[in-house]
Structures are given as C-alpha cells and as structure tokens.
Amino acid sequence: MIRFENDYTEGANKRILKRLIETNEEQTPGYGVDEHCEKARAYIRKECDAANADIHFLVGGTQTNTTIIASILRPHQGAVSAITGHIAVHETGAIEATGHKVLTLPSDDGKIQAEQVKELYDAHWNDVTHEHMVQPGLVYISNPTENGTTYSKAELEALSEVCRECGLPLVLDGARLGYGLASKDCDLTLADVARLCDVFYIGGTKVGAMFGEAAVIMNDALKKDFRYFIKQKGGMLAKGRLLGIQFETLFEDGLYYEISKHAVEMSMMIREAFVENGFSLRYDSTSNQQFPILPEDVILELGKKYSFSFWEKVDATHSAVRFCTSWATKKEHVDMLVEDIKAIKGEKNGHDRVIFRE
C-alpha cells in the first residue's frame, strides 16, 4: 500500500535523525533552555526578521493550539474560527475542554475574511444582551487551511488590521506552514507572518521533524508567563533539547524550505494528473493537499493500491477525497499514481469497470 492519507506517515528527515544520534549522549539542561534550543530560536528569529520574538517548543499541534489559546483568553471569551478550522473539527473539543467556546464563521474554502470578523465583532457588542454571550477573544486561522488553500498577503494584512482595530489577537496555526510558503500562489514570507500575527507556530511534526512545533509570540502583552501555561498543559518536555535539535537542523541552512518545496511539487503532479484526465477538484489547493472529486468505483479501485482520506460526499455517486504529500513522498510513487490515473481515464472510456494494469 502506498500511503497518501497524511503528511506524517514517515518518521523524520535523515539529517534530523543523524543529528539526534550525534548529540545523543550530550549532557544539557532540560525543559528547552539548552544550547540547541537557543540556536534554533536564533535561526527562527532571523527568518522572521524579529529579534523580539519569544519562541517556545512544544510537542504536537493540538497541544500547541490549546496552550496558546488558553494563555490568551479570559474565562468568558471564545476563539473565532472558520467552521472548517482544525480547532472546530479535528481536535476533539480540546479548546472547549479548557473552558472556551469556538465561535465559528461560515467558510467553503477554509479561509475567513476580515469583513466576517468585523461583522461578528460588531454583532456581539451591538447586542444589548452581549454580557450573556461568549465574547470573541481572538481570531484563529491556519495556513494552509484544512482544505489546502492559502492566504494571500493582502488577505492576511486585512485580517491583521481588523483584528488590531478590534483588539483581537490573531493566532495562526502553522502545522503545515512550510507547505503553504512553498505554494506557487504564496506571496507571504515567514517575516510577513511574524509581522502580521500576534502568535503563530511553525509546524515540525508534518514538515520533516520526528515531532515538535515552534510557537512564536510576537505580541509583548502575550509573552508573560507562557512557560507556566506550557507546563500546566503538559507540554514542557523534560528532554527539551530533542525539540531544539530538530528545529536547529530544519532552519540552519534552509532544509525546512527545501523539503516543503519537494512536497508541493509532488502534490502539483497529482493535481495536474487528475485535472488533465477530466476529474474536478473540490478545492483550489496549491499546497501539499489535493481534493479530487471521484466516482465511487474509482475510489474503490484506487483504494486497492493507495491509501488516501475520504473528505466529503458530493452527490449520490461522487465523493471528494484527499491525497496528501509530505517532505518524504517518493517521486516514483507519485509517478505510479499518475499512470494509474491515466489508466482510469482510458479504462473508463472503454469499459464499465475500472481495472489497473499490473
């Protein structure tokens, strides 16, 4: 089985594994105050063009989202998110478990726009009963979104402006940020993200690391006591240097961008194969996730050889599925998939049933 269901099917980039082995018997302080974590912080600050950034290393995405959001919100406040946002759909109520409601906005492509945030904010404060309602306390987005779409610089600038006007911290989930930055449609840099967001994180788990996320806090008002929140939420890794070593390796010479570019190139090959052979796409994604709409018999046949994710039912005979590439996706596997997509088209044109060539 060739796996395309997510971007964490493999372990870690070999350069990271090599560095972990090389440093295995070093003696360092714990909890992220070691030399490797400091070097990683320096590299990330340089990429962000932000000498004032506070950087903290956590283990996983849900843990990072929960810790960041809990550190910002007061008990009566909630997090504004797209209805498809990760915190609203795929985190098992983790945010609600900390006592904070997720306030969802409608979205088909996974993004939310500045106008929606302003409308929600005004609706809350213009309601005479607002004190009986959950108050919007921050805005959460992800880039890329759950649907593989990416924010433009203009969109992020508009969101940032309205969030600052309304006093709502803007939090960006960057679990797949490398793949978003590698998208052909992206006109953002890491420095732009740092300039426009109050807090964001750089995903390692899905982008080459064994595990780990780097939370970057730009807003001075949100920096105080963050390590207390990390500890309270179970995110303070005793062997913190294991996180620092991985981000040190990813950012010391551009590895993060290099492997992200590879994943997106593989993804675009898959996208082009589906489009060129007559299949529609559910979302216009140019990141590492593709969402073709396929007949049920094609899904069954592809599923004999490839692992991918069901996304949503489109009509009685078609569903959208997700093919996800990663830093480690092998080109030969993508080439095989491309050939099988072509074979599907040929067989569908001449037969009632799809058959792969062996």
Side-chain angles (χ1 to χ4, degrees), residues 88-336:
V89 180
H90 286 130
E91 291 192 338
T92 322
I95 305 307
E96 289 86 349
T98 66
H100 300 288
K101 185 178 179 66
V102 179
L103 304 169
T104 58
L105 291 171
S107 175
D108 184 60
D109 64 0
K111 296 192 285 187
I112 56 176
Q113 302 300 325
E115 296 80 5
Q116 292 178 281
V117 172
K118 186 64 165 64
E119 183 178 349
L120 179 144
Y121 177 85
D122 288 342
H124 176 85
W125 288 107
N126 290 333
D127 192 314
V128 295
T129 66
H130 59 75
E131 64 197 34
H132 299 279
M133 303 175 182
V134 174
Q135 183 189 109
L138 64 79
V139 173
Y140 163 96
I141 62 173
S142 58
N143 194 51
T145 69
E146 292 300 287
N147 300 330
T149 54
T150 56
Y151 284 89
S152 68
K153 186 188 294 187
E155 288 173 324
L156 193 58
E157 286 175 338
L159 267 173
S160 180
E161 182 179 352
V162 79
C163 284
R164 287 169 183 174
E165 176 187 336
C166 297
L168 299 173
L170 179 58
V171 176
L172 186 145
D173 177 329
R176 295 187 171 99
L177 185 55
Y179 303 135
L181 296 174
S183 163
K184 70 177 180 63
D185 290 338
C186 179
D187 58 355
L188 287 167
T189 65
L190 207 49
D192 291 323
V193 174
R195 173 174 59 87
L196 297 170
C197 297
D198 293 281
V199 186
F200 67 98
Y201 73 90
I202 302 167
T205 302
K206 296 176 180 177
V207 194
M210 182 73 72
F211 54 85
E213 323 297 320
V216 183
I217 306 176
M218 297 302 305
N219 186 330
D220 289 341
L222 305 178
K223 295 175 181 178
K224 186 176 185 294
D225 293 341
F226 189 74
R227 280 175 61 86
Y228 286 82
F229 284 96
I230 297 174
K231 181 67 175 182
Q232 188 182 69
K233 301 303 177 188
M236 191 169 284
L237 188 66
K239 297 181 182 180
R241 69 123 179 267
L242 299 179
L243 292 164
I245 288 165
Q246 295 185 79
F247 281 94
E248 180 185 8
T249 306
L250 285 169
F251 280 96
E252 65 187 349
D253 60 2
L255 178 62
Y256 188 74
Y257 301 109
E258 176 187 325
I259 61 179
S260 296
K261 180 181 177 183
H262 167 78
V264 172
E265 287 174 349
M266 297 300 99
S267 175
M268 296 307 292
M269 286 178 63
I270 294 171
R271 173 189 169 110
E272 290 164 11
F274 278 117
V275 171
E276 289 174 2
N277 287 281
F279 296 102
S280 300
L281 301 173
R282 176 65 180 87
Y283 305 107
D284 185 19
S285 168
T286 55
S287 64
N288 72 314
Q289 303 174 85
Q290 296 302 325
F291 301 85
I293 297 172
L294 305 177
E296 299 301 331
D297 60 338
V298 170
I299 292 172
L300 288 172
E301 194 63 33
L302 280 173
K304 295 176 182 178
K305 191 171 178 180
Y306 304 97
S307 178
F308 48 91
S309 304
F310 169 82
W311 205 249
E312 65 181 12
K313 194 78 174 170
V314 174
D315 59 34
T317 58
H318 294 78
S319 293
V321 299
R322 183 183 75 166
F323 283 80
C324 191
T325 59
S326 81
W327 59 275
T329 298
K330 293 179 172 58
K331 185 175 183 300
E332 55 264 36
H333 289 168
V334 174
D335 288 338
M336 289 171 62

Side-chain angles (χ1 to χ4, degrees), residues 27-34 37 227 236-241:
Q27 292 184 318
T28 63
Y31 305 110
V33 297
D34 58 276
C37 286
R227 280 175 61 86
M236 191 169 284
L237 188 66
K239 297 181 182 180
R241 69 123 179 267

Side-chain angles (χ1 to χ4, degrees), residues 6-25:
N6 59 50
D7 37 23
Y8 41 92
T9 52
E10 299 89 2
N13 182 270
K14 61 184 179 181
R15 285 166 59 181
I16 288 176
L17 291 176
K18 182 173 181 289
R19 188 70 63 84
L20 288 170
I21 292 169
E22 290 171 348
T23 59
N24 187 53
E25 296 188 20

Side-chain angles (χ1 to χ4, degrees), residues 27-66:
Q27 292 184 318
T28 63
Y31 305 110
V33 297
D34 58 276
E35 180 182 345
H36 295 288
C37 286
E38 288 305 318
K39 284 184 177 179
R41 290 185 180 103
Y43 288 134
I44 291 171
R45 288 188 183 109
K46 182 178 180 181
E47 288 298 314
C48 293
D49 192 23
N52 65 323
D54 266 12
I55 299 165
H56 304 270
F57 301 108
L58 294 95
V59 176
T62 299
Q63 178 191 79
T64 305
N65 282 329
T66 302

